[in-house]
Amino acid sequence: MSTMAKEQEFQLYNSMTKQKEIFVPKEPGKVGMYVCGVTAYDLSHIGHARAYVAFDILFRYLKHLGYEVNYVRNFTDVDDKIIRRANELEEDPLALSSRYCEEFLVDMVDLQCLPPTYQPRVSDHMEQIKGMIAQIISNGCAYEMEGDVYFSVEKFPSYGQLSGRKLEDNRAGERVAVDTRKRNPADFALWKAAKPGEPSWGSPWGLGRPGWHIECSAMSSHYLTYSFDIHGGGMDLIFPHHENELAQSCAACPECHVKYWVHNGFVTANDEKMSKSLGNFFTIREVTKLYHPLALRHFLMSTHYRSPVNYSIQQIELASEAVYYIYQTLQDCEDALLPFQQGSQEGTENGKISRITPAAKDCISKLRDDFETKLSDDLHTPYILNAALQEALRFMNSSMNLLKKKQPKQQQLSLVQSLTELEKEVKKVLSILGLLAGSTYSEVLQQLKDKALKRSGLTEEGILHLIEERAMARKNKDFNRGDEIRSELAAKGIALMDVGKETIWRPCVPPEQPSLPGQKEQPSVPVKQEEQVLPVST
C-alpha cells in the first residue's frame, strides 16, 4: 500500500452482479485491466473523454493502493466505419486509422490520462484473432458460410448473462446489416469475407477481416490471459459488444473469467443524448480550443462515473472556475511561503522544530480520510472535488490570512509548517485524480486566462485599456460608466478585481445564458453536421 493509503476495502460496482463488491484481484498485488478503446476514424469526442478519464482514475487509484496494474486499452483500426470514411476521403483505411490513433493519443496527453501498459491495434493481431476463431469453431460454437464465420448463440446457453437480455429479445446486433444466411438472427460475425476495395487478410476461410467483437477477446486474452480482473467500457457496450465478447471468449476457453465488469455512464448535451444529427456533438479538440483540458477533466469527474453527465456551457464554465480557484490558491500559498523559505532551517527557531497547528492537523487528517473513504467507495470523485478538496482550500486561504497578521515568531512558523504540509497533501490528492499539471501554478493560471481571452473575443491589451478607461471614469466620478465596463466584461467571462490601488482581471463564470451551443452571444464551438455518432466508448 502507498504511504498515503490506509487499510480501506476498495469497493467497485460489478455490472455482472449489479452490485458493489469488495475488490479482490485474482493474484495478490497485481491487477489485469482491459478497456475497450476507440474506433479510429475521426477525432475523439467528449464521450470518449468521459470513458478514458474514468478508467484513468481507476488506473491511478489502483496504483496508489500499491497494485502493479497491467492496463490494456486497444485501438480498433479495422472496421466498417473506418473503411467508409477512408473511401470518402480517398485514403488508405489503415493510414487513416493510424493517423486518428495518433490524434487520440494527443488528446489523452492533454487530458492527463496516463498511458496504458499496452495499446494494441487490431491490424497487428490478426494471428491471435484467427487462432481464437479456429478454436471457437473447433469447440462447435461457430460455423462458416461462404467465407464468413458466425458465432452460434444457441450453442452458448448462458448468452445474455451480462446484459440480462433473453435470446428471443436480442436484436441481430449493431454495426452490421441483417444477414438472412445466419442460423439465428442474433448470431454475429467473427470473420467477414473480403469485399472489393477493402483491406483483407488471408485465413483458413479465405481472404477477409475480423468482426468487431472478436478483436477485443483475442487481444485481452493475448495480453492478460483468458482470466483477468477488470473489463471496462461505456454502458452502451454492455450489449452487444461485451455480451458477445464474453460468449466468444468462453466458447474459445471454458476457463475464461472476468471478475469485474465496469461501465461508465453516457454523456448528454443539454439533457439530450449526444449526436451529430442534433448538432450537439463535440470533439475533445473543439472543447479544449476554448477551455483548459483540466477544466474538461474536472467537469467529467464532477459526476460519478456511472451516472449520466450533462455537457453544457454553464457546466464547463463552472469546472474552469473551479480549476482556476485550485491553482490560484496553490499559487497564493507558494507566494506566502516564499519569504519563509530563505534560511538554513525551514520551520525552525533556535533549532526548535515548529509543529503544525492542531487545526491544520485535523484538516489534513480529514482530507486524507475523506479521500480514501470516498475513492474506495466505487471511485466517488464528486465528493472529493465538491466538498473535501474545497474545505482544504478554504482552510489554506484562512491560514494565509493569519500569516499576514503580526504574531509571535513560533506561531508564525507553525502556520508556515501547516501550510507547507497542507499544500503537500492537496497536491497528493490532485495528483491521484490527474488534476496536477506538470506546469507551474503560474503557467496553468496563465493558460486558463488565455482560454478566457479566447472565449471573450478580447485581448489582454483590450482589457487593460478598459481598466484604464474605468479608472478614469471613476476619477471623474462617472461611476455609471465604471460599472458598465465592469458588467460588460463580466458578461464575457472577465472579472475585474480592485486590489489596493491596482485593478487586476481574472476569468469568471459569465451570467447563465441559453446553453445550446451555437446560439447568439454564447461561447460556442464549431459543430460539424454529420450522422449520429454514439456509441460513447468505441
Side-chain angles (χ1 to χ4, degrees), residues 38 55 140 194 220 236 246 264 267-268 274 294 305 433 436 470 535:
V38 292
F55 285 102
S220 63
D236 54 316
L246 176 60
N264 63 276
V267 175
T268 59
M274 195 174 288
L294 284 176
Y305 79 93
L433 295 177
L436 187 64
R470 176 173 173 266

Side-chain angles (χ1 to χ4, degrees), residues 275-288:
S275 79
K276 291 182 180 178
S277 60
L278 293 175
N280 64 353
F281 163 77
F282 297 94
T283 66
I284 296 169
R285 301 280 174 89
E286 287 169 336
V287 176
T288 56

Side-chain angles (χ1 to χ4, degrees), residues 238-387:
I238 293 176
F239 183 86
H241 187 51
H242 286 166
E243 190 71 74
N244 291 352
E245 269 195 70
L246 176 60
Q248 65 201 5
S249 293
C250 291
C253 177
E255 289 74 37
C256 168
H257 180 63
V258 173
K259 290 194 71 174
Y260 306 91
W261 290 86
V262 180
H263 297 92
N264 63 276
F266 290 111
V267 175
T268 59
N270 304 316
D271 297 314
E272 291 185 287
K273 191 175 181 181
M274 195 174 288
S275 79
K276 291 182 180 178
S277 60
L278 293 175
N280 64 353
F281 163 77
F282 297 94
T283 66
I284 296 169
R285 301 280 174 89
E286 287 169 336
V287 176
T288 56
K289 180 180 178 181
L290 294 177
Y291 295 92
H292 199 289
L294 284 176
L296 178 54
R297 185 179 177 101
H298 188 287
F299 159 72
L300 293 169
M301 294 165 55
S302 62
T303 300
H304 189 263
Y305 79 93
R306 285 192 290 113
S307 300
V309 58
N310 185 51
Y311 176 79
S312 69
I313 294 298
Q314 186 70 8
Q315 291 303 313
I316 196 73
E317 286 278 1
L318 290 169
S320 183
E321 175 80 358
V323 172
Y324 194 93
Y325 174 65
I326 290 169
Y327 276 86
Q328 186 63 68
T329 302
L330 291 172
Q331 179 65 63
D332 291 344
C333 183
E334 185 177 85
D335 294 342
L337 293 175
L338 190 60
F340 300 94
Q341 291 173 348
Q342 316 300 325
S344 58
Q345 286 189 301
E346 179 186 337
T348 67
E349 182 183 29
N350 299 324
K352 183 179 179 182
I353 298 175
S354 299
R355 298 181 181 277
I356 66 172
T357 65
K361 187 176 181 180
D362 290 344
C363 181
I364 291 171
S365 178
K366 187 174 189 308
L367 179 58
R368 284 177 179 172
D369 289 348
D370 286 347
F371 181 82
E372 295 298 340
T373 301
K374 295 301 180 181
L375 264 289
S376 289
D377 182 15
D378 197 30
L379 303 174
H380 205 294
T381 55
Y383 182 88
I384 306 302
L385 294 179
N386 302 325

